[in-house]
Amino acid sequence: MKTAHAIVTMLFLAAGLLYGTAAGQPPPIPAQERPVVLTRGPVHEAFSEPVILQIQVGLMVSNQPPADIDEIPPTHRPRGDNYVWVPGYWSWDGDRDNYIWVSGCWRAAPPNMSWVPGYWSRETGGWEWVAGFWMPADIQDLEYLPAPPASYDDRPSGRSPSRNDIWVPSCQYWYQDHYVERPGYWLVARQDWVWTPSHYIWTPRGYIFSEGHWDYPLQRRGMLFAPVYFPQSVYYRSGYSYSPSIVIDLGVLTLHLFTYPRYTHYYFGDYYDDAYLNIGIFPRYEVEQRHTWYDPTYVYDRWHHRDEPRWEDNQRHEYDLRHADRDLRPPRTYDEMETRQTKDLPAQQRNDYRMAAPLTVVVASKKTSLKFEHIDTKAQQKIVTQAAAVHTFRGERNLWESTPAPQKTVQSPTEQKGPVMSPGERKGQVTQSGETKTQTVPQREVRITQPERVKVPAPPIIGKKTGAMKTPPQPANERKYKGVVKDAPQKSQPTDTTKTKGKEKGKEKGKDKSKDKGK
């Protein structure tokens, strides 16, 4: 009888644990119904993005992005007037075949620059991402231009004039009724300042010239929060809101930083499988081989470590180690990271795994150079109002850049040969040397053949001047191409972008210049 009674008691206790009846508590929410905090994914585009030199067909998906998450700013912020809250947005995740939320971030905005957020544009066949960008704060209208001539590989022919110089790639400037080329040049690097060179942003309406500007190094840009995967049952819930609370460690992030040029985003975390190379997500050092994009943060880091002769080799070595050994790769979710921390691992390996930490831990830590302040309810509401203005501005941009002209049909993700396929669907190919030849592609065409100007509302986010640190002047090579160019180079030759490659065009330019010198 005692044995039978014990069995019955155990069954009742088990029922209480499973169904919460014993303690009066409901059972836990199933894992499939909870948000998943990720320790990998896109870096918020306003925080950092690569400079695309050869603009190709972008990331196109067939699913419409959901309505924005009701995002509440976190309870603490970095101290300083130059830090602004940039709200989050939806990003496509090929591994999940679904959207994930790129959480908002605290950003030390570049001085005197305004943020123009990116958006998903409705196209025939799906939705395509149009990149955001920083523009001078005093600009009241945007100029949309025809496609510039295809860029070509213009790496310097010789060594830098000094160990303090960095190379800035060439760029086309619109002058009167045509493009003129501003050649590449050497620039003296500045401590604690990153130079983002002039380049073009593709939009459905036309190309926008993004003027070069000085920015802060990645470690001084603020606070980046972890992206999140939300099941539909969560964000469709009435009255649901989300406040980011998991902070990405920027020091560890640079150890696992990748570039996705077609999506104009940096990625961080575990993207070490060959399949990611095949869809166009590259380790950051690949910029030295491919030259279809420019990486301001990599160029700055390389200069910053100029006294370390093997710094670049070490970047490749660290990638190769994690490419070969899955156990050395960082965790993909915050829960996985927490589980790994309990294992008996070497201290350095545990540090490499610690991709993120709760905001409360970061605020209390003395390791960060940031100073924090608490946000009261009134200040938080003001930030929420500004975030809503950013979303409104993004929607307005979508409207004025949309075109009524017939669109070319674009393949859906399941029909494309790479941009959104998951690693399990496709295996990548790696050359024996590990290097690839520079490929030049035609610029994407747009409907306009002459410039069009659009008066735009004042962007909600504007970078303020820093008090102690004076922003360096714009390089002389950029200043002389602003406004009327008295000594402008010869007109760039018109290019049939369906037939002529950028590198061939570059050779023609070289011949023309040689002839001019002969005369």
Side-chain angles (χ1 to χ4, degrees), residues 312-380:
E312 289 184 85
D313 292 337
N314 289 336
Q315 299 291 305
R316 290 180 175 274
H317 177 66
E318 291 295 325
Y319 173 85
D320 290 340
L321 288 176
R322 297 181 181 97
H323 176 266
D325 188 349
R326 291 180 177 274
D327 291 336
L328 297 178
R329 300 178 186 180
R332 296 191 169 197
T333 68
Y334 185 75
D335 287 345
E336 180 187 348
M337 187 197 77
E338 291 285 88
T339 301
R340 287 199 195 181
Q341 294 300 313
T342 62
K343 295 182 178 180
D344 185 16
L345 297 172
Q348 184 58 50
Q349 193 168 344
R350 284 202 305 271
N351 291 336
D352 290 347
Y353 286 161
R354 196 173 289 118
M355 296 288 296
L359 176 60
T360 52
V361 174
V362 175
V363 171
S365 173
K366 296 181 179 180
K367 295 181 180 180
T368 176
S369 60
L370 293 174
K371 305 297 182 183
F372 298 94
E373 60 185 18
H374 185 266
I375 305 175
D376 58 28
T377 305
K378 184 177 180 180
Q380 195 174 43

Side-chain angles (χ1 to χ4, degrees), residues 387-407:
V390 174
H391 289 309
T392 300
F393 186 89
R394 181 184 63 188
E396 291 174 344
R397 181 192 174 194
N398 192 347
L399 290 176
W400 78 62
E401 288 183 352
S402 61
T403 170
Q407 301 282 336

